[in-house]
């Protein structure tokens, strides 16, 4: 085709026909995909099922559109094979992380590493999964206790949202361990450590702590037993104690009383807060004191200063080197 006397290479009637067909395919695929995506969510709201259905529609129509476009432009199988070979080689060389992220997507989805709504940790990022894309995973970040990760960027020292949304490439599943808090067992074993004086009434303190734990976790044990029974049907797991227990550990300064109990994955801070308030109130009633590494000054010793009333001649007779 000539344009102002200049022959444009590759632009002819056949090419224009393919361009027109490509535009029709793109518009049709995008339109039908958008329509089906809207229809899927009607009357059901947002749920894990509707989100995955929409993702499946996007991927399916994306694959169909790509196949149609390749069929339009590469009607010769030999040219198509050459193009795909060059494309694969270029991607493998220039976009290794992108290829690895796509592979990570299939590991996450089909390997059931985690799902939408799961609470996970990959590397230094902990939070709830908001979205799983072909290249990246989006996480609503939660705080980290300072003892576990003393990072000043984590200003929330508990498992609660910080408000930040973190994006992680799917390639990280090949590079770092992935921790899932909710996938198979939606419970956690938590511990509350209390330092007590050696003179404290330890049996009474243990009874108070156990009573507070049982009151705050009422009903959780039964649910935990049901989930644990289902877990044993899938995995070879040894019997585990779900009832709250109290353990003692001797240190140089105090007796450490550790209460181990079962909680749900969400709402751990509220449960520990309720237990701490009950324990403190009961300790005050019973006169049980918590130990501390701080120095407590009870009173200053009495100091008396007396001035000499008489300076006798004996003082003057002392030798000079005395």
């Amino acid at each position: 085709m000539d344009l102002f006397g200049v022959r444009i290479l590759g632009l002819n009637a056949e090419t224009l026909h393919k361009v027109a067909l490509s535009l029709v395919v793109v518009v049709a695929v995008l339109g039908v995909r958008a329509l089906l995506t809207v229809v899927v969510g009607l009357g059901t709201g947002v749920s894990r099922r509707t989100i995955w259905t929409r993702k499946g529609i996007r991927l399916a129509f994306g694959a169909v559109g790509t196949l149609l476009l390749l069929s339009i432009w590469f009607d010769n199988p030999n040219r198509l094979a050459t193009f795909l070979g060059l494309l694969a080689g270029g991607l493998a060389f220039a976009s290794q992380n992108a290829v690895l992220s796509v592979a990570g997507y299939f590991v996450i989805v089909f390997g059931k590493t985690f799902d939408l709504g799961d609470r996970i940790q990959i590397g230094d990022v902990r939070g709830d999964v908001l979205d799983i894309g072909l290249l990246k995973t989006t996480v609503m970040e939660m705080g980290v206790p300072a003892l576990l990760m003393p990072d000043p960027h984590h200003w929330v020292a508990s498992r609660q949202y910080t408000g930040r949304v973190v994006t992680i490439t799917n390639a990280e599943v090949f590079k770092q361990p992935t921790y899932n808090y909710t996938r198979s067992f939606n419970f956690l074993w938590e511990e509350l450590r209390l330092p007590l004086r050696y003179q404290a009434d330890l049996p009474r303190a243990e009874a108070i702590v156990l009573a507070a734990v049982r009151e705050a976790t009422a009903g959780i044990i039964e649910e935990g037993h049901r989930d644990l029974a289902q877990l044993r049907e899938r995995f070879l797991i040894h019997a585990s104690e779900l009832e709250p227990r109290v353990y003692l550990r001797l240190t140089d300064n105090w007796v450490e009383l550790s209460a181990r109990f079962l909680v749900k994955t969400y709402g751990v801070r509220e449960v520990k807060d309720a237990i701490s308030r009950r324990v403190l109130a009961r300790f005050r009633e019973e006169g049980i004191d918590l130990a501390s590494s701080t120095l407590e000054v009870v009173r200053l010793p009495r100091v008396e200063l007396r001035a000499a009333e008489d300076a006798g001649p004996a003082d003057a007779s002392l030798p000079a080197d005395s």
Side-chain angles (χ1 to χ4, degrees):
M1 175 177 286
D2 295 335
L3 183 63
F4 301 109
V6 178
R7 178 175 294 275
I8 301 178
L9 296 177
L11 189 60
N12 50 37
E14 182 182 0
T15 304
L16 292 176
H17 179 68
K18 290 182 178 181
V19 170
L21 284 178
S22 299
L23 292 176
V24 171
V25 168
V26 170
V27 172
V29 169
L30 292 179
V32 175
R33 190 184 73 170
L35 180 62
L36 290 178
T37 302
V38 173
V39 171
V40 166
L42 293 178
T44 59
V46 179
S47 65
R48 183 178 298 177
R49 183 176 180 179
T50 57
I51 292 175
W52 277 118
T53 302
R54 289 173 177 174
K55 286 182 175 293
I57 291 173
R58 295 192 188 102
L59 288 175
F61 275 87
V64 170
T66 302
L67 181 61
L68 291 176
L69 291 176
L70 289 175
S71 301
I72 292 172
W73 288 95
F74 299 96
D75 50 356
N76 188 340
N78 294 328
R79 287 193 299 171
L80 177 60
T82 303
F83 171 77
L84 292 179
L86 294 174
L87 180 63
L91 288 175
F93 178 76
S95 304
Q96 298 180 16
N97 288 333
V99 174
L100 200 60
S101 294
V102 174
Y105 172 81
F106 289 99
V107 171
I108 292 170
V109 175
F110 296 103
K112 298 181 179 180
T113 306
F114 54 82
D115 200 352
L116 295 172
D118 285 357
R119 177 159 289 184
I120 65 169
Q121 175 179 345
I122 301 180
D124 295 341
V125 178
R126 306 204 310 176
D128 295 343
V129 179
L130 299 179
D131 184 58
I132 303 174
L134 193 62
L135 298 177
K136 59 185 177 62
T137 296
T138 306
V139 175
M140 173 63 78
E141 185 192 46
M142 66 180 181
V144 180
L147 293 177
L148 297 179
M149 193 176 298
D151 187 346
H153 298 293
H154 294 280
W155 62 92
V156 178
S158 62
R159 288 184 287 265
Q160 289 182 310
Y161 292 146
T162 65
R164 298 191 300 189
V165 176
V166 185
T167 300
I168 312 170
T169 59
N170 294 334
E172 293 300 316
V173 297
F174 296 110
K175 305 175 183 177
Q176 311 221 29
T178 302
Y179 303 92
N180 197 318
Y181 292 72
T182 55
R183 185 62 176 172
S184 301
F185 190 64
N186 197 18
F187 296 87
L188 297 173
W189 277 276
E190 234 340 310
E191 289 192 358
L192 180 66
R193 297 182 179 89
L194 299 173
L196 299 177
R197 300 175 184 269
Y198 274 94
Q199 299 81 9
D201 187 351
L202 296 180
R204 184 57 185 160
E206 179 178 348
I208 291 173
V209 172
L210 277 177
V213 169
R214 290 193 177 103
E215 184 178 357
T217 60
I220 296 179
I221 306 301
E222 296 181 3
E223 297 182 29
H225 278 295
R226 288 195 296 267
D227 279 22
L228 186 59
Q230 297 176 2
L231 192 64
R232 287 173 180 154
E233 295 177 358
R234 300 172 51 197
F235 303 102
L236 181 61
I237 182 173
H238 297 287
S240 184
E241 181 63 44
L242 300 186
E243 297 294 331
R245 292 283 304 274
V246 171
Y247 299 91
L248 296 180
R249 187 174 70 90
L250 304 181
T251 70
D252 295 336
N253 300 314
W254 51 68
V255 179
E256 184 182 86
L257 186 149
S258 298
R260 177 178 168 86
F261 50 94
L262 192 71
V263 292
K264 292 185 177 180
T265 303
Y266 299 93
V268 178
R269 191 175 194 180
E270 287 77 8
V271 174
K272 294 184 72 174
D273 176 74
I275 294 174
S276 300
R277 292 175 185 272
R278 292 187 179 98
V279 168
L280 284 177
R282 293 291 294 142
F283 276 9
R284 287 169 181 166
E285 294 175 2
E286 299 291 337
I288 300 175
D289 296 327
L290 294 175
S292 174
S293 58
T294 58
L295 179 64
E296 180 180 0
V297 179
V298 180
R299 67 182 180 86
L300 293 173
R302 185 176 179 181
V303 178
E304 295 183 1
L305 299 177
R306 296 180 181 179
E309 296 179 357
D310 297 321
D315 297 331
S317 63
L318 292 176
D321 58 349
S322 61

